[in-house]
Amino acid sequence: MSSKIKCAIIGSGNIGTDLMIKIMRTSKNLEMGAMVGIDPASDGLARAARLGVATTHEGIEGLTRLPDYKDIQVVFDATSAKAHLTNDAILRRDGKKVIDLTPAAVGPFIIPVVNLKDNLDQPNVNMVTCGGQATIPIVHAVRRVAKRLVYGEIVASISSKSAGPGTRANIDEFTETTSKAIETVGGAEKGKAIIILNPAEPPLIMRDTVFTLSQGASPEEIEASITEMVAEVQKYVPGYRLKQKVQFEHIGDNAPVNIPGIGEVSGLKTSVFLEVEGAAHYLPAYAGNLDIMTSAALVTADRWAESKLKMEAA
């Protein structure tokens, strides 16, 4: 019995390459089996080859032809929403666990600190978006202490240098996927997501702002829940932190806010300001948006692999 489970990464761009480095340096339960791309000249494939990882530039078809394909149990897909639909059909046919880093959302949304335990054995899980991974834990932290979470809005501001062609081509999918996950995972009745690509030089570290409107919880209860949640996320994203003290504003019945689809509502407005600094395994430290995605994907797969190895050892 192997002490680690073999995995493959489809997508040899920035996200895929950073994920490969994280797996090789930090994973206790996974080992690289293959790096897959479509550009034979990509830095990700060249780096993988130098590190002794099997490579192919022929996409999913090339992966299935590799000699060790049969031994690979987990596949990370860091391509695009459209490509994932084709990849997933082949991978699930062949019994592979699929970790989806695209906005395709074929499987359930996963935010590790919120709902990983309940979805650990799903054949395909979706990592939402970078903005979702950074902000939905905070939305959920409010929801778990409030009687009602009426609204959740997030603004993810990232350096334009850390937004590759895949991110730029999927802006609409980013906002739609994140908004939906704010509701289905975060627990808000209504969710909204905004992304800002900031061209500032030198590049800015990822910043996220979370606004919620809730009822039935005190500022002290909400702040304590948020502080606890930040500590939980920091276990796999050390550069995740509050940028300043949580802010509160009481919205009275005399001046309610109008939430589209819900109507006029009063309650407690909570404003949370976050910063996400990357670990700089492959990407620069300012690219916290990419780092939190690869970190969340790794902890998701690592925990599944740990569970499977324990079952095999039993």
Side-chain angles (χ1 to χ4, degrees), residues 5 24 77 104 109 161 176 192 200 207 209 240 252 257 266 274 279-280 302 304:
I5 285 177
M24 298 184 78
D77 191 342
F109 294 132
K161 282 192 171 182
E176 293 165 5
K192 181 178 180 179
R207 297 281 177 83
T209 305
Y240 183 87
V257 294
S266 59
L274 302 161
D302 223 10
W304 176 83

Side-chain angles (χ1 to χ4, degrees), residues 222-238:
I222 291 175
E223 185 170 18
S225 183
I226 289 172
T227 301
E228 181 182 343
M229 182 62 77
V230 169
E232 287 298 309
V233 177
Q234 286 175 339
K235 290 178 180 178
Y236 58 95
V237 189

Side-chain angles (χ1 to χ4, degrees), residues 12 35-42 45 55-60 62-63:
S12 58
M35 172 63 91
V36 182
I38 56 174
D39 178 6
S42 73
L45 289 179
T55 64
T56 174
H57 65 270
E58 298 178 335
I60 184 69
L63 173 61

Side-chain angles (χ1 to χ4, degrees), residues 198-220:
N198 193 323
E201 289 289 348
L204 296 179
I205 292 174
M206 182 189 196
R207 297 281 177 83
D208 297 282
T209 305
V210 184
F211 301 108
T212 66
L213 182 65
S214 62
Q215 298 172 346
S218 68
E220 293 78 15

Side-chain angles (χ1 to χ4, degrees), residues 115-279:
N115 66 341
L116 175 56
K117 185 182 295 185
D118 296 333
N119 293 280
L120 194 60
D121 293 327
Q122 291 287 337
N124 177 309
V125 292
N126 178 266
M127 305 315 300
V128 195
T129 60
C130 60
Q133 288 296 336
T135 62
I136 291 173
I138 303 301
V139 176
H140 177 72
V142 177
R143 178 65 187 93
R144 67 186 178 184
V145 295
K147 290 182 179 178
R148 184 186 183 193
L149 180 55
V150 183
Y151 184 66
E153 177 178 318
I154 73 98
V155 182
S157 180
I158 66 174
S159 168
S160 58
K161 282 192 171 182
S162 67
T167 299
R168 294 171 187 273
N170 288 284
I171 290 294
D172 288 344
E173 286 87 349
F174 173 96
T175 56
E176 293 165 5
T177 298
T178 308
S179 297
K180 184 177 179 182
I182 289 170
E183 298 169 1
T184 58
V185 182
E189 295 176 25
K190 181 72 174 179
K192 181 178 180 179
I194 300 168
I195 184 171
I196 298 171
L197 306 185
N198 193 323
E201 289 289 348
L204 296 179
I205 292 174
M206 182 189 196
R207 297 281 177 83
D208 297 282
T209 305
V210 184
F211 301 108
T212 66
L213 182 65
S214 62
Q215 298 172 346
S218 68
E220 293 78 15
E221 290 172 318
I222 291 175
E223 185 170 18
S225 183
I226 289 172
T227 301
E228 181 182 343
M229 182 62 77
V230 169
E232 287 298 309
V233 177
Q234 286 175 339
K235 290 178 180 178
Y236 58 95
V237 189
Y240 183 87
R241 51 186 172 257
L242 287 172
K243 190 62 180 172
Q244 62 188 71
K245 189 174 176 64
V246 180
Q247 298 180 9
F248 298 97
E249 178 184 354
H250 290 279
I251 308 297
D253 293 335
N254 60 331
V257 294
N258 183 51
I259 306 297
I262 295 177
E264 293 189 341
V265 186
S266 59
L268 182 64
K269 176 184 175 182
T270 302
S271 301
V272 182
F273 304 93
L274 302 161
E275 183 175 80
V276 186
E277 182 177 2

